[in-house]
């Protein structure tokens, strides 16, 4: 009976030590670092002032926003979606995950803009300037007229 108690007293710490050693040595499972993009497209109905997100897989509009703007243009690059107010020279970001307007950014009058995956460029032909900013910092980047 003494031998069985000694065996239990030795076996439990040895098993625990093996489990801890295995946990330290084992590298774990590999995971994939993926960017989720549903491939959805944003569309407009200018006569009703609506902007909607088309879910390609279900072939239906799964969200949208209403805009009071009379004259606007919608631009999209992957998950980045912006609405350009053509009357007031402003650029409004749409947050696709919340399906709502996220921020309004003033642009110089009569300017044009273009954007790609992470940069917005604003061209002011009247003053001969071009400014570039990251999408996250467009609100802090204000185009300025050159000094006379």
């Amino acid at each position: 009976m003494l031998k069985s108690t000694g065996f239990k007293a030795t076996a439990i710490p040895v098993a625990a030590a093996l489990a801890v050693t295995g946990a330290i040595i084992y590298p774990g499972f590999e995971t994939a670092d993926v960017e989720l993009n549903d491939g959805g497209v944003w569309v407009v109905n200018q006569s009703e002032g609506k902007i909607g997100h088309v879910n390609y897989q279900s072939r239906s509009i799964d969200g949208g926003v209403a805009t009071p703007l009379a004259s606007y243009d919608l631009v999209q690059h992957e998950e980045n979606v912006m609405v350009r107010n053509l009357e007031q020279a402003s650029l409004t970001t749409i947050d696709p995950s919340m399906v709502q307007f996220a921020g309004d950014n003033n642009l110089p009058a009569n300017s044009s803009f273009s954007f790609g995956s992470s940069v917005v460029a604003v061209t002011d032909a009247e003053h001969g300037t071009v400014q570039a900013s990251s999408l996250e910092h467009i609100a802090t980047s204000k185009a300025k007229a050159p000094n006379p």
Side-chain angles (χ1 to χ4, degrees):
M1 183 137 149
L2 210 53
K3 288 183 182 182
S4 127
T5 306
F7 175 73
K8 289 180 184 175
T10 306
I12 292 175
V14 168
L18 285 173
V20 169
T21 303
I24 292 171
I25 294 173
Y26 185 68
F29 296 104
E30 266 190 54
T31 60
D33 186 19
V34 296
E35 285 188 34
L36 299 178
N37 185 353
D38 67 355
V41 177
W42 288 80
V43 294
V44 299
N45 181 334
Q46 288 200 345
S47 63
E48 293 185 19
K50 295 181 180 177
I51 301 170
H53 178 263
V54 177
N55 183 319
Y56 183 74
Q57 289 82 9
S58 66
R59 301 196 189 286
S60 64
I61 295 179
D62 61 3
V65 293
T67 178
L69 303 175
S71 181
Y72 62 93
D73 188 23
L74 178 77
V75 292
Q76 173 183 2
H77 183 273
E78 296 177 349
E79 73 277 358
N80 300 313
V81 184
M82 296 184 188
V83 177
R84 171 79 190 263
N85 181 343
L86 300 174
E87 294 176 345
Q88 297 179 355
S90 67
L91 188 63
T92 303
T93 306
I94 294 179
D95 180 356
S97 62
M98 300 297 291
V99 191
Q100 66 184 12
F101 292 114
D104 202 22
N105 307 290
N106 292 326
L107 300 175
N110 301 320
S111 65
S112 62
F113 84 101
S114 60
F115 79 103
S117 60
S118 62
V119 177
V120 174
V122 178
T123 306
D124 186 354
E126 184 179 321
H127 295 107
T129 60
V130 176
Q131 286 197 332
S133 174
S134 67
L135 287 171
E136 296 82 23
H137 297 103
I138 188 169
T140 60
S141 173
K142 302 288 184 201
K144 300 173 187 152
N147 293 333

